[in-house]
Each structure stands twice: as structure tokens, then as C-alpha cells.
Amino acid sequence: MTFRLGRTVFDSDARLVMAIVNRTPDSFYDKGATWDDAAAKDRVRLVVDQGADIVDIGGIKAAPGVEIDAEEEKRRVVDFVAWVRGTFPDLIISVDTWRAEVGRAVCEAGADLLNDAWGGADPELPAVAAEFGAALVCTHTGGVPPRTRPFRIEYDDVVDDIRESLVEQAERAAALGVARDRILIDPAHDFGKNTYHSLEATRRLGELVATGWPVLVSLSNKDFVGETLDKPVGERLTGTLATTAVSAWLGANVFRAHEVAETRQVLDMVSSIAGHRRPARTVRGLQ
Amino acid sequence: MSPSAEQDLGAIRGALVVPGLPMQLPEYAGQADAGGEIRERSVAALVEAIADWKPSAVVVVAGHDPLAEHTKGSVGARVARLLLAGAGWEGPVREISVPIDADPGELDGAAERVLEGRTATGALVLVPADLSAKRTEAAPGHFDERAAAFDAHVLDAIASGDAAALIRCDLVLAQELWATGQAPLQVLARVLPAPVRSEIMWSALPWGVQYVRARWWGRKA
């Protein structure tokens, strides 16, 4: 089954890098590195050079913190989306927001994809995607409100819960008019999940792929990687890439990442192992 | 083409020696077609040879590894088919396969089969053949200090059209140097023992394997 983002149609074996571009002063990993406008623009240029297929622009960090209202969120992202659209006409632009009001503003500025990272917290967001012909990422949070950490959350079967929630959200989005081939699902590692939940979601990712909706995974430098390897932020790249490779092998299509070049290499390697991509250059044994 | 050559009925019009590396085959290409330039230049040489010699048939002389267990056929023969298709050749083709470790008796036998294929207006002999594969540390067969001299001898023989010199090459040494094209070259030397002209069009060892592209013009009747 194919899926569409922007003007591009992708096959079911596509493996795309979604580069994180934070317009925040306080996100956990980059700690404001692209808060400055010029730095954010440099980041977009860099990740495009490194092979990113999508940029995911976010104006609010996921973790708890100072409340950012919709006006401030728009100030952080809308003009920037317009700049990216004008500078990179073919680049797929995603915006990480749960708010329909922000979604509308960024779609008007040229966004192709609304990354609803908090799992339908604002039920109007899919209608905005539908109105603009944009794509939508549905995520599983276990029902927790935006910008909260999981606390003692349990599931009978975490993957069943993820699958049921995501399929329900995806069907609802489709019913509201989002094109079926512009809907992705994201198990949302760490969101509403402890480390065991995220590991199980990874191990059983194939069950989500089997729903037929294209799967996005957001793994980059997250706590479940850190707890698994006992590594602090800044030392989680290896674990992230290992999880990326496994997820790619199990059929995920989109990989939200901080380290684009490394992620691109991992995905290209997996694609070639899977027989979906020719090696770059073949000489060994063929001279 | 001189009138005498036009009347050279039954003769082999000429031979084209081309690199036979598998990298030229599309199924082995990466996104970068590392063997593409070699392949395309061989196609161009084949087009030119066909235009010059106007053969009525092509006889491919290719080596095969008698120890190979796959059923894909020899790489040399597959390369030859690719080149002929690329050159737009639609005439008859015969493939003569010779073991890369052939002894002189087998080489004589292969040469006889080539000559059986002569036609009234002459054939083009297409020979995918490579020299040693041990020219550098990074070569497939690693470095062998004997390889350079061996290759120089073979290249000199090809350049000068010296069939006897080709036949004098040490077959055992050729095996040790992974010179997989030695057997087909020796068949060529047997079927065109006195070429009227010879030319090396290109030779190089980009990956530690000695390649050559060369033409031999056929003997007169």
C-alpha cells in the first residue's frame, strides 16, 4: 500500500527520515540549539543535505514546563514554516502540534503534515488536516494529557492498547475527511509508557504494521533507550540507531530523528539488506 | 575494406577482446554503475568492429569455471550477450565455452569448434578475457610479484598480434595469477594465428585486475 506526503507518493517499503527541528528554548536533547532563527534555518539546510525527507518543526517541548499558549506557539513556528516552504519547495514539512488552531495556521503557511504527538488531545485537529489536504500522524499516549510524564501507568497488553487506539484515531480522521493514504500511526515510545512498554512496542511493531497504516516511530535519544542502556542524554545514539534498525526491519516507514546522517545510513543499510535498495557501489568480488 | 578482403571467404574477419568482469552485469550494479563505463566502451568498440568487418556471425569464446556450482552460465558469456544486445547485433551467435584451467588439448578442441562456425562471409570472434587479478595489495587475489611481468608479456603479445607468444604463456602460472582470460585468449591465438593487424584500444587495472580491450584483424585467405 502506498502513502502520500506532500506531493510525493511513497511505497510501503519506504524508510524516511523525519528531522527534528525544535523552535524551543528548552527541549530535552538540543536545549535550545535552534531557538535562534538563524540557527534553525541552518539546521534545516544541514538536515536536507544529510538526506532528511521530512522536517518536523515543533514549538513546544514535550516535557512539562512553562505553559505555551497557542499564540506563542504560532509565533514560534508559523513564519518559520513559511520560510522553509519558500526555501525548500519540495521538502515535506511536518509540524508537531496538538492544537487545531496552530495546525490551521501552519497549513496556511505551507505545512504538509500535522504530527499530533499527543494523541488527539484536540479533537478538531484532524478536520484541519482534512480541510487543507494535509497528512496526519495519530499517536498513542495511553490517554495522558499533553506534556505530562507517565506515572504508574499499566496496560493488560500495551500493544493491543496501542493498536486499538491508533486504528480508532486513524478511522476517525478518515471519517473526518483526511485522505486514507495521508494518515500515519505512531506508537509514541515513552509517551504514556514506561521503558518495558516502549521495548514491547518495538518488539511487536509488526503488529502495528499489519494494520496497514504506515507507521512512524519517534525513538531518538528517548528515555527508554537511556534506561535500557543506562545512558544519559547525549550518549544514546547507539541505542537509538539499534532501535531504528529493528523498527525499520519490522516495517516502520518514518523515523523521527535528531541525528539525520546516522539515521539515514542505518535506514539505507536496512533497506539494502531487505532487498529494497541497491548498494551505492558494488566492486568487491566483481572485478 | 579492400577487394581482396571482401573475397576472403570463410575467414575470420577479426576478433575483439573485451573485459569480462561481472561488475558490468546489471544485476550486480549498485546505484552507481561502477562497471558501466567499461561496458559502454566495449559496446562502442563492438559497434565499430561490426561496422568495419560486416561479419555474418559472431562467435563468442568465453572461459568458464569448471568448479562453479551455480547454473547461471559463465560470466564471460553473459557479458558477451549484454554487449551484443547493446550493439544491436541481431545476427547469429555461437558461444564456445572453454574451461579457465583448460589444458592444451582442450584449447585445441575449443579452437576447432570456433572454426567450425566459420561462415561464407566471415565471423567476428568476441573474447571476454581478463589478465591477472593479483596486481596490487587490494586486488581480489592480493599482490603477486609475478603478475606484472605476466601481464606485460600477454599485453605485448596482444598488442603485436603475436599468437605464438600468447600460446607460450604458462597456463599453470596463469591459473596461479587468477588470469581467467588466458584460456579464451589462447583459443583466439589458435584460430587467428597470424592477424594482419593488431591494436590495444585500452588497458588498465583499476581494481588490481588487468583489463584489456583490443582488436585483431583477420588473416587473409
Side-chain angles (χ1 to χ4, degrees), chain A residues 206-218:
Chain A
E207 295 176 40
L208 304 181
V209 172
T211 65
W213 299 101
V215 172
L216 178 151
V217 287
S218 182

Side-chain angles (χ1 to χ4, degrees), chain B residues 37-64:
Chain B
E37 183 177 353
I38 291 175
R39 179 184 64 242
E40 294 310 314
R41 288 183 183 276
S42 289
V43 168
L46 184 56
V47 167
E48 185 182 346
I50 290 169
D52 287 351
W53 294 333
K54 298 177 177 59
S56 59
V58 171
V59 181
V60 174
V61 179
H64 72 267

Side-chain angles (χ1 to χ4, degrees), chain A residues 143-192:
Chain A
V144 301
R147 304 190 67 193
T148 57
R149 296 194 172 103
F151 182 63
R152 302 183 182 180
I153 194 164
E154 291 189 301
Y155 302 90
D156 280 336
D157 185 315
V158 65
V159 176
D160 280 355
D161 197 86
I162 292 170
R163 187 184 60 249
E164 288 164 12
S165 165
L166 292 179
V167 169
E168 182 182 327
Q169 289 183 59
E171 291 293 350
R172 177 174 181 272
L176 288 170
V178 181
R180 293 187 75 84
D181 61 355
R182 291 189 187 274
I183 298 171
L184 298 88
I185 60 173
D186 173 7
H189 295 68
D190 272 3
F191 281 45

Side-chain angles (χ1 to χ4, degrees), chain B residues 43-188:
Chain B
V43 168
L46 184 56
V47 167
E48 185 182 346
I50 290 169
D52 287 351
W53 294 333
K54 298 177 177 59
S56 59
V58 171
V59 181
V60 174
V61 179
H64 72 267
D65 182 354
L67 299 177
E69 295 184 354
H70 64 76
T71 58
K72 296 178 176 178
S74 81
V75 168
R78 287 148 66 198
V79 167
R81 285 175 218 146
L82 193 65
L83 301 182
L84 288 164
W89 175 257
E90 295 179 344
V93 178
R94 290 201 314 125
E95 292 179 0
I96 306 299
S97 189
V98 57
I100 57 173
D101 61 352
D103 60 32
E106 289 172 307
L107 295 169
D108 289 341
E112 287 174 13
R113 295 202 301 281
V114 172
L115 294 173
E116 287 167 4
R118 285 185 299 182
T119 64
T121 52
L124 183 158
V125 180
L126 180 60
V127 187
D130 301 319
L131 282 60
S132 81
K134 297 194 176 188
R135 289 293 298 275
T136 64
E137 294 283 336
H142 202 251
F143 176 73
D144 188 313
E145 61 185 8
R146 301 169 300 173
F150 174 87
D151 287 343
H153 175 83
V154 176
L155 287 172
D156 283 349
I158 293 173
S160 59
D162 188 344
L166 264 183
I167 292 172
R168 280 198 303 274
C169 278
D170 184 339
L171 288 169
V172 173
L173 178 60
Q175 283 294 300
E176 291 174 358
L177 297 176
W178 296 13
T180 55
Q182 189 57 31
L185 286 172
Q186 294 224 0
V187 174
L188 169 64

Side-chain angles (χ1 to χ4, degrees), chain B residues 6 31 86 144 146 189 192:
Chain B
E6 288 290 341
Q31 294 175 29
D144 188 313
R146 301 169 300 173
L192 260 182

Side-chain angles (χ1 to χ4, degrees), chain A residues 201-252:
Chain A
T202 305
R203 184 162 60 246
R204 296 170 56 192
L205 197 70
E207 295 176 40
L208 304 181
V209 172
T211 65
W213 299 101
V215 172
L216 178 151
V217 287
S218 182
L219 313 166
S220 198
N221 298 293
K222 282 190 167 173
D223 281 350
F224 82 97
V225 175
E227 289 192 358
T228 299
L229 300 178
D230 193 18
K231 294 293 183 188
V233 172
E235 297 179 27
R236 298 175 179 176
L237 177 59
T238 305
T240 297
L241 295 177
T243 315
T244 298
V246 171
S247 301
W249 185 255
L250 292 175

